[in-house]
Every structure is written in structure tokens, then in C-alpha cells.
Amino acid sequence: MLSIMRVILSWIVLLVALASSAVRGDDGFLTEPPDYIKECRIAEKDFVNCSTHSIQQLFDKLNDGIPGLTSIKSFDPFFLHRIRISQGNSNAINLKVELANVKITGFGHTNVLESQVFKKDYSWKTIFTLPQMKLQGNYSLFGRILLIPLNGRGQVFLDAENMTVTMHTKTRLYSKGGFTFYNVTNLRVDFKMDGLKSYFSNLFNGNKQLEDSTNKFFNDNWRMLADALYTVITQTIEDILLDVLKKIFHFIPANYFVSDIPTPEQLYGKVAPKPK
């Protein structure tokens, strides 16, 4: 009986060891290729198609959660503590906006159209669509849109339809544990959409009639509102993706996305420092 228990115990220890062997290091990172990523060779002609498929698989896996990556608590919905924007790009638009306790939904339905990686510096260009992106939270707004003076605090609800987002990402390669990793250093996005529904509560300190007529004006003229809130929307998307991508690419070696990626020494001619 004792020998049987020893055999069972040894199998349990072995299984635990196998389960944990794919992640190691002080920071924790994958040491074996995951099945949810397709490895691609940048030297191959079909690299863009291969990379597009691979990044789509990555976004799909984010919905369920990437095993071992505990720093991303939730991708859809995603939560941001605070966003502050000052925008004055014309005489018609002059806004100061602050959003707090922001909840964003829709990134779980990301559809990747194109994923390019540039051999010169291993920066990326990624194009993807979001059938719907919803934002809700607390707002504080001061300024004007066209001739409408705005000064209010309350709840905001935005519902963007059929967004096409172009993302430009800057990276710096670094080495860790014998692998090459991406350090995502900068990210900017541009977008277009097919519609924007919105609602701002308490726009005029309780004047319900003026609030309702202004909200109706915003929804009837959604393109104008989208232009006014362009910086707010882009920064929201950038804050989400920069946070998520930094964590992903410190956890998953770049070798598993681009199998023939150079080492930092090969690309830069010297050792790239490990990001803090």
C-alpha cells in the first residue's frame, strides 16, 4: 500500500513540474511555444498573412485569459481609472475633458485585418476592426462644441459602431533567459467609424430640457461629436492597448511570433538594456 502511495505521489509531483516548466524567471515568461500563436518567418513572402493570423489568435486567447499571465485581470471589459484631455484644434472645438472609473467593452470581438512587422526596427503596423466599442464612466467637461457652451459633471455613455483602427507600435528588442523580447515603447492609433451614439447626464446642472436637446443634437450630428472627442477616443484605445501589449510581450518571447527575429546585438550592434 505504501509503495502505491509513493508512485501516486511521484506522478503528482511530475505533473506539477510539467505544468509549471513552461513558465520561469523572476518576471515569469514562457519558455515553450504556446499553441495559440502561429510562428512566422519574416523572411518568407507570406509573412504578413501568417502574422495577421497569429495576432488574431492572440486577441482571441485574451478573451479566455492567457495562462500564466496574471497581470491582465480583464480584457473585455477593460477598466481605466482616469483619462484627462485638453483639446482645442479649432475655434469650433475647445474642450477640457476628464473621465474617471471608465469601463470599456468590445475589444473581445477584435478582428485583425493586417499585421505588419518592419525589419528595420521591428516596429509594427496593425489594422483591426471593432464591431462595437462601448464606454461608460464619470465625466467632467468644460468648453464648447461649435456654439454650444458645455460645463457639466455626470455619467457618460458612448457607443461607437464599426470602428476601423490603425495602430502604429514602436518597440525595442531586449534579451531575457536566452530569448528575444519586445519592449513596447510607444503606441499611437487612428480610427474611423460608421456611427456614434452618446449620452451625457447633467450637462447643464439639472436643466433636463436643455440636456435632452443637446444630447439629441449630438446624436443627430454624431460625426461632429466624433471629431470633438477624437483625442478622448484615441487616448482611450491607446491606454488600453499599450498596457495590454507591454504585459503580453514581456511574458511571451518575440521568437514565438517571429521565429527568425534577430537578437538585440544583431539588430543594434550592442546589447540593449533590459527594460525596468
Side-chain angles (χ1 to χ4, degrees), residues 5-22 32:
M5 291 298 294
R6 287 176 177 171
V7 171
I8 293 174
L9 182 60
S10 66
W11 273 105
I12 292 174
V13 171
L14 178 61
L15 290 173
V16 171
L18 288 173
S20 60
S21 63
E32 296 178 6

Side-chain angles (χ1 to χ4, degrees), residues 181-200:
F181 285 80
Y182 286 121
N183 180 29
V184 179
T185 59
N186 188 43
L187 185 152
R188 63 181 178 86
V189 303
D190 190 13
F191 72 87
K192 57 184 178 180
M193 63 177 69
D194 290 343
L196 178 65
K197 299 175 184 176
S198 64
Y199 177 76
F200 296 83

